[in-house]
Amino acid sequence: MAIWIISAVAGPILYYSNGNWFGLFPISVALSLLTGLAVCYGRHWEGPVYNFVQFLWIGILLSQFLIYSAKCWPTGEKAFPIVPLTLLILSGISATKGNKNAVNGISVIFWISLLLLGGVIAAGIENIKLEFLQPNKREIPPYIILALLLPAAVGFIKCEKSNILPFAVVPFFVTAVSLWIAGSLSPELSEIISWPFYEAAKSVELFSVAKRFESLVSVGVTLCNYCLYSLLFCAAASIGEKCGKKREAIIATVGISATLMLLGFRIDPIISTVISMILWVILPLFGMLKKKEKEL
């Protein structure tokens, strides 16, 4: 389950983080605790209306995180979104093979992306300037708050074991990435550029010979995005499986998310965060309390 959890946040965190580690750490701790409680002890409600709303929200949320896959490449935002659509179809196909096979595929891809991005981060440690690491007033991008709720999608997937400990890894991962960005870029620069992690990678050198690691960063984050999309597809497939329409649910998710992305449909990330908090955290925890009341 730890792979699911880190995979859910890795791509968005690497793209949206601007180095505000001081403000992000307590928020990531609080949200990781809430999502961990919701996944491990929460209880999703039953009923066609509830399942439909959850399924529809997964499709909408997936469309919001699709577009930045194109932005991970230099000319991707201006061209036809072939990268997001390709990842969408591949992750949908992966979900049709079952959660176990999807997890195995994600595990391999995740470790490959970890090696690529971990190598860039390790090579860039020498560029970190301690004066840049001091707490500052950099704003926390709203999409990071939303990304920290994505591991709650694991709650829809049938896991053999539910353990809250893997959720404790998220705050340290988020903080480590933010510290690296903060130390590599000045606060003023990280505020005005769209992808701070990518910009910081431009100054990374290996043995004073190898430079220009931007392509590795684009590949690594794209692979992380695939892991996130596969997780959301498996969640949608699990909801569809309750109604005996797993394959139809996957196809519908592809259609909803692709259509909304191509139409340029956007929801304010703050509103998306509130809706995700209600559907994926508050309602499951409330369902747990109602179940305990019935048992008493």
Side-chain angles (χ1 to χ4, degrees):
M1 192 170 69
I3 294 295
W4 280 117
I5 295 166
I6 299 299
S7 298
V9 300
I13 293 299
L14 288 166
Y15 184 83
Y16 290 107
S17 181
N18 64 353
N20 187 355
W21 63 271
F22 186 75
L24 193 56
F25 180 72
I27 293 175
S28 62
V29 169
L31 291 180
S32 296
L33 176 61
L34 287 174
T35 54
L37 290 173
V39 169
C40 298
Y41 306 107
R43 181 177 179 271
H44 281 286
W45 296 24
E46 300 295 336
V49 175
Y50 179 82
N51 290 335
F52 175 76
V53 171
Q54 292 283 9
F55 162 76
L56 183 62
W57 181 243
I58 289 174
I60 294 174
L61 201 59
L62 183 56
S63 71
Q64 303 302 294
F65 281 100
L66 271 176
I67 193 60
Y68 87 92
S69 294
K71 296 179 180 179
C72 292
W73 297 90
T75 59
E77 190 175 4
K78 299 178 181 179
F80 184 78
I82 187 66
V83 173
L85 291 177
T86 301
L87 293 177
L88 184 69
I89 294 172
L90 291 176
S91 54
I93 293 173
S94 173
T96 63
K97 305 299 182 181
N99 294 339
K100 185 176 181 180
N101 289 329
V103 170
N104 292 335
I106 285 177
S107 298
V108 174
I109 293 174
F110 177 76
W111 287 113
I112 292 174
S113 62
L114 187 65
L115 287 173
L116 292 175
L117 298 170
V120 174
I121 291 174
I125 290 178
E126 63 179 4
N127 295 333
I128 292 177
K129 298 181 180 179
L130 295 180
E131 60 268 25
F132 289 167
L133 294 177
Q134 297 181 5
N136 52 71
K137 296 182 179 180
R138 280 181 276 202
E139 294 184 1
I140 298 176
Y143 273 107
I144 288 187
I145 309 300
L146 177 58
L148 290 171
L149 292 173
L150 293 176
V154 176
F156 294 102
I157 302 169
K158 297 176 182 178
C159 298
E160 296 180 359
K161 295 181 180 179
S162 295
N163 192 331
I164 199 172
L165 289 179
F167 288 87
V169 179
V170 174
F172 294 100
F173 170 78
V174 172
T175 304
V177 172
S178 297
L179 279 169
W180 189 83
I181 294 173
S184 302
L185 301 174
S186 66
E188 295 77 16
L189 182 59
S190 62
E191 281 284 0
I192 62 175
I193 55 180
S194 59
W195 189 3
F197 187 84
Y198 185 87
E199 189 68 25
K202 290 181 178 180
S203 60
V204 172
E205 296 182 5
L206 187 62
F207 305 123
S208 301
V209 177
K211 299 182 180 180
R212 310 297 294 180
F213 286 92
E214 298 95 302
S215 296
L216 290 181
V217 171
S218 294
V219 171
V221 175
T222 299
L223 292 176
C224 289
N225 293 337
Y226 169 81
C227 296
L228 167 60
Y229 304 156
S230 294
L231 168 62
L232 293 178
F233 265 110
C234 286
S238 296
I239 295 174
E241 192 174 11
K242 295 179 181 179
C243 309
K245 296 183 178 181
K246 177 180 177 180
R247 189 174 296 273
E248 290 84 349
I250 294 173
I251 295 173
T253 303
V254 172
I256 292 171
S257 55
T259 301
L260 293 177
M261 181 195 69
L262 293 174
L263 291 175
F265 177 75
R266 295 289 177 272
I267 298 180
D268 187 282
I270 297 177
I271 296 176
S272 297
T273 300
V274 173
I275 296 175
S276 297
M277 176 67 77
I278 293 172
L279 292 178
W280 291 1
V281 177
I282 295 177
L283 287 181
L285 290 177
F286 184 71
M288 174 192 67
L289 295 177
K290 294 292 289 184
K291 182 180 179 181
K292 287 187 175 181
E293 286 181 4
K294 291 181 179 180
E295 291 176 351
L296 294 175

